[in-house]
């Protein structure tokens, strides 16, 4: 198998686009040797590695209307808008069973990034190091202000996308100079920093000043990363898959029809560019 990586952006429920792309990959019997993701991007990789086609989309579509999955009730009663126990325990262990055996026995390397609240930096956890990858994914998916801090090895973590929204450079550092990058926004999108959320971050996370500093640079860092990815694409080092048109699905989208349409958009757009991807891989 040729040495290339698969880099997955987060984006909350916009991740159904990524789910569509990865399901096309499964239909093509295409399995990347290395994957890295943060937040919802990392979560999409679970079912891809366990070879459970359609599972990631079902998790979102079947339960997005369930208050245990996503609701203000969760935020008020539990301090987290997404029901993390429900998502990372009840769903994989009972409702839509996750194939732990296939996942754990896969020789595909999988890396998840999570933001260390004390340092404000992204730290990376490797499947090959025998980490509990669902717990790591929970930490990486814990949105600031809307989720509880997750403790791993006595360290506090939140959303990996705070410090590293698109972890391409880490994939390159790990030796994967050629990478497929799946984004959940179209090519015209650039992030803007919200002043109100920044003030809240400083107030809520007073004991984590470096986390607030990282968040303050988040929009600028994200836009610089997009520019870097596009330069790498021009050099032939990156193959980008992303929505062709502006995205109308929010990170906490509850409209099932919108989610279904965006999932299908991911699948069909991946199908359309499959010949170009094969050609790109053939040049590696």
């Amino acid at each position: 198998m040729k040495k290339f990586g698969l880099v997955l952006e987060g984006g909350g429920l916009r991740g159904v686009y990524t789910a569509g792309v990865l399901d096309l990959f499964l239909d093509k019997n295409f399995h990347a040797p290395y994957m890295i993701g943060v937040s919802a991007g990392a979560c999409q990789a679970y079912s891809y590695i366990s070879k459970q086609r359609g599972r990631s989309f079902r998790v979102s579509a079947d339960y997005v209307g369930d208050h245990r999955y996503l609701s203000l009730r969760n935020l008020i009663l539990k301090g987290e808008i997404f029901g993390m126990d429900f998502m990372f325990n009840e769903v994989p262990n009972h409702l839509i069973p996750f194939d732990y055996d296939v996942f754990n026995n896969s020789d595909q390397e999988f890396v998840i990034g999570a933001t260390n609240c004390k340092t404000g930096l992204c730290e990376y956890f490797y499947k090959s190091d025998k980490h509990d990858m669902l717990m790591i994914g929970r930490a990486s998916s814990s949105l600031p202000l809307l989720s509880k801090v997750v403790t791993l090895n006595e360290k506090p973590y939140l959303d990996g996308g705070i410090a590293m929204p698109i972890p391409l450079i880490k994939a390159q550092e790990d030796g994967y100079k050629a990478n497929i990058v799946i984004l959940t926004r179209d090519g015209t999108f650039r992030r803007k920093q919200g002043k109100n959320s920044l003030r809240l971050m400083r107030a809520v996370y007073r004991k984590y000043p470096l986390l607030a500093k990282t968040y303050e640079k988040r929009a600028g860092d994200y836009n610089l990363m997009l520019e870097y990815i596009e330069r790498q694409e021009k050099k032939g080092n990156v193959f980008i898959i992303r929505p062709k048109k502006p995205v109308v699905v929010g990170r906490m989208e509850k409209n099932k029809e919108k989610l279904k349409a965006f999932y299908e958009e991911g699948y069909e757009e991946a199908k359309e560019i499959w010949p170009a991807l094969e050609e790109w891989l053939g040049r590696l």
Side-chain angles (χ1 to χ4, degrees):
M1 184 177 289
K2 291 184 177 180
K3 192 170 185 178
F4 66 91
L6 180 58
V7 180
L8 307 174
E9 181 184 17
L13 283 160
R14 286 192 296 272
V16 295
Y17 179 89
T18 303
V21 175
L22 296 181
D23 278 351
L24 184 279
F25 285 179
L26 287 175
D27 286 349
K28 295 290 186 179
N29 197 31
F30 177 70
H31 306 289
Y34 171 99
M35 280 150 289
I36 184 168
V38 295
S39 196
C43 292
Q44 299 305 324
Y46 293 129
S47 298
Y48 174 61
I49 297 171
S50 67
K51 299 178 174 58
Q52 292 176 274
R53 188 197 187 284
R55 182 183 176 278
S56 284
F57 175 68
R58 282 189 59 207
V59 170
S60 297
D62 288 4
Y63 292 102
V64 72
D66 190 315
H67 71 83
R68 295 172 296 175
Y69 183 91
L70 171 63
S71 65
L72 287 175
R73 176 178 174 176
N74 283 338
L75 187 61
I76 293 168
L77 297 179
K78 299 182 179 180
E80 52 189 24
I81 199 161
F82 284 97
M84 303 304 264
D85 285 335
F86 181 74
M87 291 171 60
F88 289 94
N89 181 14
E90 187 68 17
V91 170
N93 294 323
H94 303 289
L95 299 175
I96 306 181
F98 178 60
D99 196 327
Y100 288 94
D101 288 339
V102 173
F103 179 85
N104 290 327
N105 291 325
S106 170
D107 60 1
Q108 294 170 282
E109 181 62 281
F110 179 35
V111 186
I112 299 178
T115 301
N116 184 314
C117 298
K118 288 186 176 180
T119 66
L121 301 176
C122 192
E123 295 183 5
Y124 298 94
F125 301 83
Y126 290 74
K127 174 175 171 284
S128 58
D129 289 337
K130 308 301 181 184
H131 288 293
D132 180 345
M133 297 304 280
L134 260 67
M135 181 57 71
I136 304 299
R138 176 173 180 161
S140 184
S141 303
S142 293
L143 302 175
L145 304 175
L146 298 174
S147 301
K148 295 177 182 177
V149 170
V150 175
T151 301
L152 302 171
N153 301 322
E154 301 182 352
K155 296 178 183 179
Y157 293 92
L158 280 172
D159 182 4
I162 301 171
M164 185 51 64
I166 310 167
L168 172 61
I169 291 175
K170 178 59 178 174
Q172 294 172 329
E173 290 173 348
D174 281 350
Y176 293 84
K177 303 305 180 185
N179 290 279
I180 302 166
V181 179
I182 303 179
L183 304 176
T184 54
R185 293 282 200 176
D186 74 286
T188 67
F189 178 78
R190 292 298 183 269
R191 177 171 283 166
K192 297 178 181 178
Q193 184 69 58
K195 293 182 179 179
N196 291 335
S197 61
L198 179 55
R199 283 193 287 266
L200 273 173
M201 285 290 293
R202 289 169 176 164
V204 173
Y205 301 109
R206 287 188 299 273
K207 66 177 181 178
Y208 300 130
L210 294 179
L211 177 68
K213 278 185 173 292
T214 296
Y215 190 88
E216 185 175 0
K217 302 189 293 101
R218 184 182 181 215
D221 288 348
Y222 179 83
N223 296 336
L224 287 173
M225 179 56 67
L226 286 179
E227 292 174 9
Y228 176 74
I229 290 169
E230 289 164 0
R231 290 198 302 272
Q232 289 292 299
E233 180 187 38
K234 290 177 181 177
K235 292 180 179 180
N237 298 328
V238 160
F239 190 96
I240 300 175
I241 302 176
R242 62 182 168 194
K244 289 184 175 180
K245 56 189 179 183
V247 176
V248 297
V249 172
R251 74 186 308 181
M252 290 180 280
E253 183 64 61
K254 300 192 76 171
N255 185 310
K256 291 185 180 181
E257 291 305 312
K258 283 186 178 181
L259 292 174
K260 183 174 184 289
F262 201 37
Y263 164 79
E264 291 173 348
E265 186 177 326
Y267 186 91
E268 292 301 323
E269 290 182 355
K271 184 178 180 180
E272 181 181 335
I273 64 172
W274 177 255
L277 176 56
E278 283 191 307
E279 182 181 345
W280 179 81
L281 288 166
R283 295 196 299 266
L284 297 183

